[in-house]
Amino acid sequence: MATTLPKVDVVIVGLGWTGGIIAAECAKAGLKVIGLERGRKRGTEDYQKIHDEYRYAVRYELMQDLAKETITIRNNRKMPALPMRQLSSFLLGEGLGGSGTHWNGHTWRFYPYDFQIKTMTDEKYGPNKLSSDYLLQDWGVTYDEMEPYFYKYDQTAGISGEDKNPFWGKRAQDFPTPPMKRTPILKKFEGATKSLGYSPFMLPSANLSEAYTNPDGEVINACQYCGFCERFGCEYGAKTSPEITVIPTAMKTGKFEARFHANVLEVIKSGNKVTGVKYLDTQSGEEFIQEAEVVVLASYVMNNAKLLMVSNIGEQYDPETGKGTLGKNYCYQILPGATGYFDEQMNTFMGAGALGMSIDDYNADNFDHSDLDFIHGGSISITQTGYRPIETNPIQRGTPTWGAEFKKNSIYNYTRTLSIGAQGASMPHKENYLALDSKYKDAYGLPLLQMTYNFTDQDRALHKYITEVSTNIMKEMGAKTVEGKEVITDYDIVGYQTTHNTGGTIMGASPENSVVNPFLQHWDAENLFVVGAGNFTHNGGYNPTGTVAALAYRSAEGIIKYSKSSGSLV
Amino acid sequence: MTEKPKNYSRRDFLKTTGIATGALIGGGLIGGLVGFNANKTDQNVSDSGTTTHEMANNQGFQFFQNQREFDVLSNATERILPKDDLGPGAIDLGVPYFIDHQLAGQYGSNTKEYMHGPFAVGAKTQGYQSRLTRASIFRQGIARLEEEANNKFDKGFSSLEVEQMDEILTAFQNDEIAMTGVTSAFFFRLLRTATLEGAYADPMYGGNRNMDGWKMKEFPGHQMAYINVIEEEKFQKIEPKSLGGM
């Protein structure tokens, strides 16, 4: 029997970026906020011995414990779905900070084109550019409406960058801190892309170029370029993350309480409102009901969708009939690129997660797609994140993967190989969706989330095209051998690709085709907010965090307004 | 450098490898033996002028129970990452001890992974679906390496010539060997990956002895900052450091 706890203004599920942002904003506005985090408390002092590739990058120390909960996966509806037994393709976070602890810090704003992708694609290319199997839709909000919230996040995080990309949406203010260092490796890319007529610029980074105090008074330190960023926490407090910014900001108000080892099992709905959440204290084994005026789901894409499904809130999407919105438009990202093998040794082991240069000449609708069989594109970047020796063993195609020749080549190439890669946009397809699995359960007896996903023709065409562009850039950079990424066929969960999963709890202007409204307020329960990359109706050509955070800031404003006046925010 | 360097004698080596007991003398171990001594000599005249072995504490079995199994593993890892003119191979790097220690812990028992049934084979794109833990897979894989060696060449794996070892390992890699509950290709991938992990993980895990894996790759290990050198055009040769205090 669950113990019911006194009602608070806001209960938040998950304390990563979105939960942290909403906690900070609501607590600053005077609301009593409780955050439930199923992982543990952690912070900079836990990251002092983190330069350990094996423990953190290979054995995934900071990631979700799959023994307790995972998802099932299949490429299409005809296959039986089987559990993802090990992490590989994407790395789910757990604990205070969530994936915001182990991210790299690439901080982008999705394009004006992204927010109105359906309208703008139809206007320019006609309504049949992609077949009707692709479920393109506008987001219900425009870039101009989002701009102040993008900037709010830039300020909170102290983003380092330069406003030199001629393509991206207008920025009302410049970056809070200057760009990171232009290293010799980055300059190779800069020179090559300039000579090919493109417009390179420094990648917007949440590893800061200089120490910075944000508007809430939180200090973020200067990056030391140690080469241990993605999959690691930062020992300097120089990679902006929730536990050094929004969480302490929320704490300082005295209105916020974080509860750890609190695994939420259900959102409790009554009529057209929710009353709170049921959670398990995974240490004591006790169940609690935390009542609240407002419930905010701020866990990762997978768990936000699952919690709605197991709580029977909203209608499950059915690919057969096209009915239902929950689980719809699950998207991923497509990763074209090229690798170049050089003669000269380079300092490839130095770096920072978001140390890079990019071009956007082939992102969004920045180039003409009239004669192409795909839409959108991707940012193309070189990043110097620091090659680490267990996972970086570059060998050219045809080289044996073990033995004397492997050893010689992988060691030689370790300091002589560069890669460029793109964050290829991913378009929603009617057959790619999330649902509940009927066979496999988590440690608490709830069904696992089931993912049905495969690459589509759009993805394959985009991949091929951007790989060719990347290959040309790498040749121009002076590599003696260049290998483009191999063509993609079926999505395979083995091998790390990207932790940029999106969709399933999508936003939109109408309850007919979305789960939440543009303030991320649930259409079927006005005091329930669902926040995260699950709101994306498609995935753009950038890393998602900047856009996720901006949506969270806008939603926080909506929650504060709702707590005063109730009713629908639209 | 908190740990006192300890010289590693030929007698110690013979004792720990089991050669002195006359168990198995094969191409692989002989190669390892010769290589080990040559490497030791190199160490004594290294440019820093010091010896920095820190291996002794990491030796001893936490997972394996007999020397024969351990020698099969040792020789297989050495074929994956052999000693050459660049530096030590898997045996001299301590990789077999690294794997032994890993199999005894979280890695070997898959404690952070979803191991509930029902189990099915699944498509390749659905990844690892075995009911077996890594510890079971290694134990079975090593037994099959021995069986194959005996079937094909009438000798234990560790007594084979290196070309014969490679032939068997290639058959595993190409999924030509029947295994139970797992494929031989999967076992081979696991073995290959674990070998690289042992060669290049921080030495505190028992492999990458003397940071020789890192030295070969010119990776400086645990450095606090590159902020002052990252803009240099020239390649930076930096003495490596381990988290374990070396």
Side-chain angles (χ1 to χ4, degrees):
Chain A
M1 195 55 201
T3 307
T4 300
L5 300 169
K7 197 170 198 175
V8 294
D9 295 320
V10 181
V11 64
I12 300 172
V13 181
L15 290 177
W17 267 125
T18 56
I21 286 169
I22 286 166
E25 293 306 295
C26 291
K28 282 195 287 181
L31 300 175
K32 169 74 186 147
V33 183
I34 284 184
L36 302 174
E37 166 56 50
R38 63 180 170 187
R40 69 182 187 95
K41 189 179 179 184
R42 63 186 179 196
T44 306
E45 76 167 323
D46 298 309
Y47 312 141
Q48 297 308 306
K49 292 282 183 185
I50 207 150
H51 290 177
D52 182 346
E53 182 188 12
Y54 185 63
R55 179 173 176 185
Y56 291 94
V58 178
R59 300 261 70 86
Y60 309 132
E61 177 75 20
L62 300 178
M63 312 307 173
Q64 182 173 316
D65 181 355
L66 296 192
K68 296 203 169 61
E69 185 176 0
T70 183
I71 63 164
T72 64
I73 174 89
R74 57 183 180 175
N75 290 111
N76 59 61
R77 283 191 276 155
K78 289 184 202 111
M79 285 168 70
L82 294 176
M84 176 175 82
R85 298 186 179 277
Q86 303 179 332
L87 287 169
S88 185
S89 169
F90 45 85
L91 300 175
L92 307 169
E94 188 171 273
L96 185 64
S99 307
T101 296
H102 68 80
W103 72 317
N104 256 340
H106 300 202
T107 311
W108 302 97
R109 302 172 170 197
F110 273 21
Y111 267 88
Y113 173 70
D114 283 307
F115 294 102
Q116 294 172 284
I117 192 164
K118 170 77 175 151
T119 303
M120 290 173 79
T121 304
D122 287 359
E123 267 172 21
K124 188 160 170 191
Y125 303 108
N128 302 316
K129 178 67 181 166
L130 296 183
S131 88
S132 59
D133 289 347
Y134 292 90
L135 309 177
L136 282 190
Q137 58 188 70
D138 294 347
W139 292 37
V141 65
T142 65
Y143 175 86
D144 289 343
E145 289 171 299
M146 289 302 298
E147 208 283 335
Y149 305 98
F150 277 125
Y151 185 60
K152 192 144 195 197
Y153 182 63
D154 283 354
Q155 283 184 299
T156 298
I159 302 304
S160 299
E162 55 184 13
D163 192 1
K164 288 189 177 162
N165 175 6
F167 298 103
W168 62 22
K170 191 176 172 338
R171 289 173 179 259
Q173 282 94 358
D174 204 349
F175 288 89
T177 54
M180 298 185 79
K181 291 178 183 293
R182 262 177 173 74
T183 65
I185 288 174
L186 268 47
K187 283 181 189 161
K188 273 192 210 291
F189 178 85
E190 183 180 29
T193 49
K194 271 190 179 158
S195 78
L196 289 168
Y198 306 142
S199 304
F201 58 95
M202 289 296 289
L203 196 157
S205 168
N207 325 133
L208 301 202
S209 58
E210 60 186 36
Y212 170 81
T213 304
N214 80 9
D216 296 315
E218 313 301 341
V219 175
I220 304 151
N221 292 315
C223 174
Q224 301 299 304
Y225 302 86
C226 73
F228 288 83
C229 210
E230 187 182 31
R231 305 189 187 184
F232 303 86
C234 181
E235 74 272 32
Y236 291 104
K239 170 169 70 174
T240 306
S241 56
E243 62 270 44
I244 62 167
T245 54
V246 289
I247 297 292
T249 296
M251 289 291 184
K252 279 192 306 210
T253 64
K255 306 286 285 182
F256 172 66
E257 181 199 340
R259 287 186 199 142
F260 297 95
H261 311 290
N263 191 83
V264 174
L265 303 169
E266 187 186 350
V267 181
I268 301 160
K269 186 160 182 270
S270 172
N272 58 1
K273 281 195 173 185
V274 294
T275 58
V277 297
K278 184 164 88 171
Y279 73 91
L280 175 76
D281 180 327
T282 56
Q283 292 194 316
S284 70
E286 288 174 277
E287 283 188 358
F288 296 96
I289 289 169
Q290 178 61 61
E291 297 196 322
E293 299 288 349
V294 172
V295 173
V296 182
L297 300 186
S299 60
Y300 197 65
V301 171
M302 311 296 169
N303 201 47
N304 273 3
K306 170 171 163 169
L307 282 173
L308 292 177
M309 290 170 189
V310 297
S311 308
N312 283 311
I313 300 173
E315 188 186 351
Q316 172 65 46
Y317 169 71
D318 179 353
E320 196 63 45
T321 62
K323 287 208 166 66
T325 55
L326 180 56
K328 194 176 115 157
N329 284 33
Y330 172 76
C331 291
Y332 196 40
Q333 216 150 38
I334 313 307
L335 306 171
T339 299
Y341 299 88
F342 292 77
D343 285 326
E344 69 273 21
Q345 276 192 297
M346 294 167 283
N347 294 309
T348 52
F349 53 84
M350 303 177 187
L355 175 61
M357 288 197 85
S358 304
I359 60 161
D360 261 356
D361 300 71
Y362 293 94
N363 199 358
D365 199 37
N366 301 341
F367 59 114
D368 185 33
H369 294 71
S370 300
D371 298 326
L372 301 172
D373 49 0
F374 64 95
I375 62 166
H376 216 303
S379 59
I380 301 174
S381 307
I382 188 156
T383 54
Q384 187 178 349
T385 58
Y387 288 169
R388 292 175 296 267
I390 297 173
E391 297 207 305
T392 312
N393 293 286
I395 49 169
Q396 294 173 28
R397 273 181 206 136
T399 308
T401 57
W402 55 283
E405 212 180 321
F406 165 77
K407 185 184 175 194
K408 192 165 149 261
N409 279 280
S410 59
I411 288 174
Y412 181 84
N413 290 330
Y414 175 67
T415 50
R416 293 176 177 84
T417 305
L418 298 177
S419 287
I420 51 182
Q423 301 286 332
S426 169
M427 295 305 121
H429 189 276
K430 74 179 183 65
E431 294 292 334
N432 291 335
Y433 67 101
L434 305 174
L436 283 182
D437 194 86
S438 57
K439 198 182 278 181
Y440 293 94
K441 302 240 186 305
D442 67 19
Y444 315 107
L446 296 175
L448 297 186
L449 186 76
Q450 178 188 74
M451 177 190 291
T452 306
Y453 180 73
N454 206 355
F455 296 134
T456 67
D457 288 341
Q458 144 83 27
D459 300 329
R460 296 181 189 106
L462 184 154
H463 188 277
K464 183 166 175 282
Y465 189 85
I466 305 281
T467 291
E468 280 164 18
V469 175
S470 306
T471 303
N472 285 335
I473 296 171
M474 189 53 88
K475 282 180 186 156
E476 188 69 22
M477 284 168 65
K480 73 179 178 206
T481 311
V482 178
E483 290 176 349
K485 284 255 194 104
E486 291 190 48
V487 293
I488 53 169
T489 51
D490 293 324
Y491 172 59
D492 186 341
I493 67 157
V494 183
Y496 185 73
Q497 287 149 70
T498 175
T499 310
H500 300 163
N501 317 75
T502 64
T505 57
I506 59 176
M507 61 191 285
S510 156
E512 297 304 309
N513 67 2
S514 58
V515 174
V516 293
N517 72 27
F519 289 93
L520 316 184
Q521 180 181 31
H522 201 286
W523 289 113
D524 298 345
E526 63 176 40
N527 62 338
L528 172 62
F529 291 77
V530 185
V531 187
N535 302 132
F536 294 10
T537 73
H538 71 277
N539 202 357
Y542 280 147
N543 311 57
T545 304
T547 302
V548 169
L551 287 172
Y553 271 112
R554 192 162 183 271
S555 183
E557 207 174 270
I559 292 165
I560 293 163
K561 191 173 157 211
Y562 175 84
S563 70
K564 289 177 188 140
S565 60
S566 305
S568 172
L569 291 161
V570 295
Chain B
M1 223 170 280
T2 54
E3 203 145 340
K4 270 272 162 249
K6 175 173 174 168
N7 273 324
Y8 196 69
S9 70
R10 182 186 170 86
R11 175 188 287 270
D12 286 340
F13 179 75
L14 291 173
K15 212 160 66 188
T16 50
T17 54
I19 289 177
T21 64
L24 295 156
I25 300 179
L29 270 179
I30 293 288
L33 177 59
V34 172
F36 186 86
N37 285 332
N39 186 47
K40 180 171 167 265
T41 309
D42 290 347
Q43 283 306 326
N44 287 340
V45 294
S46 74
D47 49 10
S48 63
T50 55
T51 54
T52 48
H53 291 300
E54 55 116 35
M55 56 214 303
N57 291 341
N58 297 323
Q59 297 205 336
F61 296 163
Q62 296 175 18
F63 173 76
F64 286 100
Q65 291 165 321
N66 69 66
Q67 190 66 45
R68 186 183 48 78
E69 281 182 319
F70 186 75
D71 288 344
V72 172
L73 173 75
S74 300
N75 284 308
T77 60
E78 182 71 15
R79 293 314 302 148
I80 288 167
L81 208 68
K83 181 183 166 55
D84 60 9
D85 53 4
L86 292 168
I91 290 177
D92 289 351
L93 287 168
V95 166
Y97 286 103
F98 166 89
I99 294 176
D100 172 81
H101 302 346
Q102 289 302 310
L103 289 173
Q106 208 179 73
Y107 168 89
S109 42
N110 300 50
T111 51
K112 274 186 81 179
E113 285 151 26
Y114 190 83
M115 297 298 283
H116 306 287
F119 291 92
V121 174
K124 189 186 150 286
T125 57
Q126 292 171 299
Y128 182 87
Q129 295 296 336
S130 176
R131 70 175 67 231
L132 302 179
T133 61
R134 295 189 187 90
S136 307
I137 293 172
F138 265 88
R139 194 154 258 153
Q140 189 195 148
I142 287 166
R144 296 289 156 100
L145 284 169
E146 276 285 67
E147 273 173 40
E148 273 306 296
N150 279 303
N151 291 345
K152 263 197 174 132
F153 303 111
D154 246 353
K155 283 179 189 167
F157 186 83
S158 296
S159 305
L160 300 180
E161 296 305 319
V162 293
E163 294 78 12
Q164 295 171 323
M165 290 182 185
D166 288 355
E167 192 182 321
I168 290 177
L169 287 167
T170 303
F172 273 76
Q173 182 185 21
N174 294 340
D175 220 357
E176 291 159 10
I177 308 297
M179 286 182 66
T180 307
V182 67
T183 65
S184 73
F186 187 86
F187 166 62
F188 181 83
R189 277 205 302 281
L190 210 54
L191 177 68
R192 175 189 178 272
T193 306
T195 302
L196 296 177
E197 289 165 359
Y200 299 124
D202 192 284
M204 69 182 173
Y205 292 100
N208 189 15
R209 276 184 190 158
N210 194 32
M211 299 183 283
D212 280 342
W214 289 350
K215 286 175 188 166
M216 285 189 285
K217 262 185 157 163
E218 298 181 86
F219 171 70
H222 158 60
Q223 301 287 332
M224 288 312 287
Y226 296 120
I227 189 166
N228 295 322
V229 288
I230 196 165
E231 288 167 295
E232 297 286 337
E233 290 285 344
K234 202 166 167 290
F235 182 72
Q236 302 291 303
K237 290 184 189 291
I238 300 168
E239 193 64 30
K241 273 191 206 144
S242 153
L243 274 175
M246 289 176 75

